[in-house]
Amino acid sequence: MKTARIVNLDLYRALAILFVLFFHTTQMFAGENVNADYYLWGKFGVEFFFVLSGFLVGGLFYKQADNVNLLKFWLLRFFRTYPPYIIALLLSYFAVYFSRAEQFNFGYLIFIQNFYTTIPYFKISWSLCIEEHFYLFFPFIILLSEKVLKKSFLQLGLWIMLCLLPTFFRWKFGSIHPENFGYFETASYFRFEGIAMGCLLSFIIYRYNINLNFSFLAKTSIYLFFILMLFINVVFKNFTFTYTIGYLLFNVSLLLLLAVFYFGNNFILAGNLFVKTVASMAYSLYLTHALTINFMSIVANKFKTNLFLMYSITFIVILIIGFIFYRLVERPTIKARNYFLMR
């Protein structure tokens, strides 16, 4: 079992945000001119985040379940995520207000917008809502299961059931053809299996004290399985099977991929300065990239700039704005939180 910082997880996080940036940038600048199958895979970057979050938070609780201060955990997560989120939300809302005079929706303050039939603005925040719901409810599941389900196999069964539950919800209550982007694609109980799988992996590692050594054949098989699941979910996106089982199988592939990243030797790219930087400011990039893309699209339409050139410039601007937001907002927030709460 590893205890030192694992740079491969930085690479995993960097891949997650780069997937998302690629998807939204391409969708804005080439969406009507390029077949969606060529860039739709980028939207699954959020699943990387879900699996990784479940794994890290689950590991935190399973390493020290008897000594976890739940209130302190909630405060640490709240002051880590909420202040930067509020600033990004206000920036997004001001842009919406000045462009179409839309009223502020107070549901955004308590993270319920992912249950709206249509998310009115700052749409990328739907995945953060799921993360926040996870921080609120899953620690209860972990701590209660530790106290009530004394046997490891019972807890294992619980996590497997939680991994399967969103698939049942999508099959029973979901809709493959929603009119607008919202509830059927973003509601927490439709999309939390990635988080549950991350928790499942951490449970297996810390409760069974395993240390896996993947052979070349095993790693290759996992990489191919991941690519296959990604391909199926993109190409057959309008099938009920994909909407229900497809997400489940893709998250299984991400669970296996994370296990390879966690137990395997460090990848060459994992120690790269670019990867480390992108991973460290992934949250800032997530919060600011949509507004940046929209602004750059206005610039592109006004000046009729070459599509490929504007696309490349936009990607660079996204990284610059994300870095500025990280230095001015996110990092000071982390320092202030650590100073006041860790004391």
Side-chain angles (χ1 to χ4, degrees):
M1 188 184 306
K2 298 187 177 184
T3 56
R5 181 177 179 84
I6 303 169
V7 295
N8 279 352
L9 298 188
D10 286 337
L11 178 59
Y12 196 90
R13 183 181 286 106
L15 286 173
I17 191 62
L18 290 174
F19 266 50
V20 173
L21 298 185
F22 170 80
F23 170 63
H24 285 140
T25 306
T26 308
Q27 185 183 45
M28 176 62 74
F29 285 97
E32 296 180 356
N33 302 311
V34 176
N35 188 319
D37 292 350
Y38 290 106
Y39 67 86
L40 197 63
W41 53 267
K43 77 172 187 175
F44 293 100
V46 293
E47 306 300 331
F48 280 77
F49 280 121
F50 291 158
V51 175
L52 184 60
S53 292
F55 177 70
L56 294 176
V57 174
L60 170 69
F61 276 83
Y62 281 118
K63 278 188 291 187
Q64 48 180 344
D66 294 332
N67 300 309
V68 169
N69 184 323
L70 194 54
L71 178 60
K72 184 177 180 180
F73 168 79
W74 281 332
L75 289 173
L76 286 170
R77 295 315 306 168
F78 178 83
F79 287 107
R80 171 70 178 87
T81 60
Y82 201 72
Y85 163 74
I86 286 297
I87 293 175
L89 172 62
L90 291 177
L91 290 173
S92 177
Y93 171 67
F94 287 148
V96 169
Y97 179 78
F98 287 116
S99 63
R100 55 178 187 260
E102 189 165 337
Q103 294 298 309
F104 183 75
N105 189 299
F106 287 92
Y108 279 81
L109 299 179
I110 54 175
F111 297 109
I112 60 172
Q113 63 266 32
N114 67 317
F115 287 96
Y116 294 166
T117 303
T118 302
I119 302 176
Y121 51 85
F122 203 33
K123 294 181 180 181
I124 56 101
S125 63
W126 71 268
S127 57
L128 181 59
C129 294
I130 296 175
E131 294 267 2
E132 296 297 327
H133 300 158
F134 157 58
Y135 297 142
L136 184 62
F137 294 110
F138 269 61
F140 277 123
I141 296 174
I142 295 173
L143 295 177
L144 283 175
S145 65
E146 287 284 289
K147 294 184 179 300
V148 177
L149 304 176
K150 301 295 185 180
K151 301 293 185 181
S152 292
F153 75 90
L154 292 176
Q155 295 182 46
L156 179 63
L158 172 66
W159 283 118
I160 292 174
M161 182 194 72
L162 288 172
C163 290
L164 297 174
L165 208 52
T167 300
F168 171 76
F169 287 150
R170 288 194 299 270
W171 169 71
K172 191 69 175 176
F173 308 110
S175 172
I176 191 174
H177 296 299
E179 294 183 6
N180 299 292
F181 180 77
Y183 174 77
F184 290 110
E185 295 181 73
T186 62
S188 297
Y189 40 72
F190 289 145
R191 298 294 297 273
F192 71 76
E193 69 252 68
I195 291 172
M197 287 190 184
C199 290
L200 170 64
L201 180 60
S202 66
F203 169 80
I204 292 172
I205 289 174
Y206 291 104
R207 281 294 168 266
Y208 293 98
N209 197 27
I210 65 169
N211 191 0
L212 298 176
N213 184 17
F214 291 95
S215 66
F216 175 78
L217 178 60
K219 288 189 287 188
T220 302
S221 299
I222 289 171
Y223 297 149
L224 291 176
F225 179 59
F226 164 73
I227 294 172
L228 177 62
M229 291 302 101
L230 194 61
F231 174 81
I232 288 175
N233 275 277
V234 170
V235 175
F236 301 102
K237 56 185 178 293
N238 294 322
F239 287 70
T240 302
F241 174 85
T242 308
Y243 176 70
T244 53
I245 306 297
Y247 267 119
L248 174 68
L249 294 177
F250 179 69
N251 279 288
V252 170
S253 76
L254 286 180
L255 180 149
L256 295 172
L257 193 66
L258 181 58
V260 171
F261 275 56
Y262 180 77
F263 287 108
N265 296 325
N266 293 341
F267 294 102
I268 296 175
L269 287 176
N272 183 278
L273 179 61
F274 175 77
V275 169
K276 288 182 177 180
T277 304
V278 169
S280 65
M281 63 181 192
Y283 186 46
S284 291
L285 288 169
Y286 162 80
L287 289 173
T288 59
H289 77 276
L291 187 59
T292 304
I293 291 172
N294 278 284
F295 173 76
M296 294 302 291
S297 70
I298 294 173
V299 174
N301 290 330
K302 183 175 182 179
F303 295 100
K304 306 299 181 183
T305 314
N306 175 271
L307 180 63
F308 178 77
L309 176 62
M310 201 63 198
Y311 181 90
S312 304
I313 293 174
T314 298
F315 215 87
I316 294 171
V317 173
I318 289 171
L319 295 176
I320 293 172
I321 296 298
F323 180 74
I324 293 172
F325 191 88
Y326 172 74
R327 294 299 295 266
L328 296 182
V329 178
E330 184 182 357
R331 196 165 76 163
T333 298
I334 295 172
K335 289 183 176 180
R337 178 204 67 169
N338 291 346
Y339 178 78
F340 289 108
L341 293 181
M342 300 305 285
R343 290 168 64 129

